[in-house]
Amino acid sequence: MRISFFLLTTLLFRGLSFISSPDFAQPPVPVILDTDMDSDVDDVGALAMLHAYERAGKVNILGVIVTSDEVNSAACTDAINTFFGRGTLPIGVSQRDSLKSFSKYTQAVAQAFPHQITNRTAEAATSVYRRLLAAQPDGSVVIITIGHLTSLSRLLHSGPDAASPLDGRALVARKVKRWSCMGGQFPNGKEANFYRPDPASTVDCLSTWTLPVTFAGWEVGQQIVTGGSAFRERCSAQSPVYRGYEQYNGFQGRASWDQVAVLEAVEGLEPYFSAENGQCVVAADGSNQWQPTSQTNHRYLKIKGSPEAIQKRIETLMLGGW
Ligand SMILES: [Ca+2]
């Protein structure tokens, strides 16, 4: 009886391992995440998703750019990376002094979970961006921005350095495959990542960028609420993801703007999204307008099917599943 039970549990374990085993059919996609880990908590969910993808063999996280002036934004990011076993991941920051304290969750996460890096000790974002890109195969890197575009703009205007003789635009053109951007409201609107606090960086990036870019607009993530009470029941209380959502609003749930960008960046359009091709034009105040054209490198996402299916997929990944 005891042997039978042992065999049963062994087979069950092997079966589950097979179901959750990494998909090695495609090599993992090299990804750089550029986040404003501060005011909203969807950045926590998005970073947790990337770690789940990495464990499943889908992505290779090269590093994280923290585009924020919040004093604990880099420490919180490093604490999450460390929790998921990637404490050696490079982190580059957009700002190292004149820092402010305004986040509802970054301090709590940083205090509760081990980390090494802080905003004051981290490398500059431009140096990290350039070093990470220079080391990758040509045309391979996916950049995911889930905050404002100050660091990406600085990268594009950077000059040659020890990492590469190429300037920023040439380095991006050589190494990047595509950009997934949480930003804007489509077809027309005004969204925070585009207009606050650095709308000039949005205008600059969109006018400078020549490779494919997919916009995950405000109106998509707004329809997908994650991190609510049902999520709390399934999430380990020992996780920084739990701590983040607990601190942010006590698991009342939050829109999934940033997670949508990560989901599409890794899994592509199907089965959750369709896309509209055209041109996103940004005004000096950060508002955006869509111009339908056929010859373009821009597209924006639309939900295909039900928001509930996307919510379920995102929460599974936020919980570390596959
Ligand atoms: Ca964000």
Side-chain angles (χ1 to χ4, degrees), residues 35-36 42-43 146-147 193 258:
T35 169
D36 59 339
D42 53 339
D43 298 78
I146 54 174
N193 281 352
D258 292 350

Side-chain angles (χ1 to χ4, degrees), residues 33 46 49 53 142-146 178-183 214-217 220-221 256-268 273 301 314:
L33 182 72
M49 284 175 73
Y53 280 129
V142 174
I143 292 177
I144 307 173
T145 61
I146 54 174
R178 71 181 185 108
W179 169 24
S180 171
C181 173
M182 191 284 122
T214 301
F215 298 100
V220 177
S256 306
W257 300 290
D258 292 350
Q259 294 97 320
V260 166
V262 170
L263 178 64
E264 190 280 327
V266 179
E267 299 193 27
F273 306 106
L301 298 180
I314 287 174

Side-chain angles (χ1 to χ4, degrees), residues 138-167:
D138 291 354
S140 66
V141 179
V142 174
I143 292 177
I144 307 173
T145 61
I146 54 174
H148 56 96
L149 301 175
T150 304
S151 298
L152 190 63
S153 176
R154 288 178 184 166
L155 165 66
L156 289 166
H157 292 281
S158 63
D161 62 1
S164 171
L166 301 176
D167 66 25

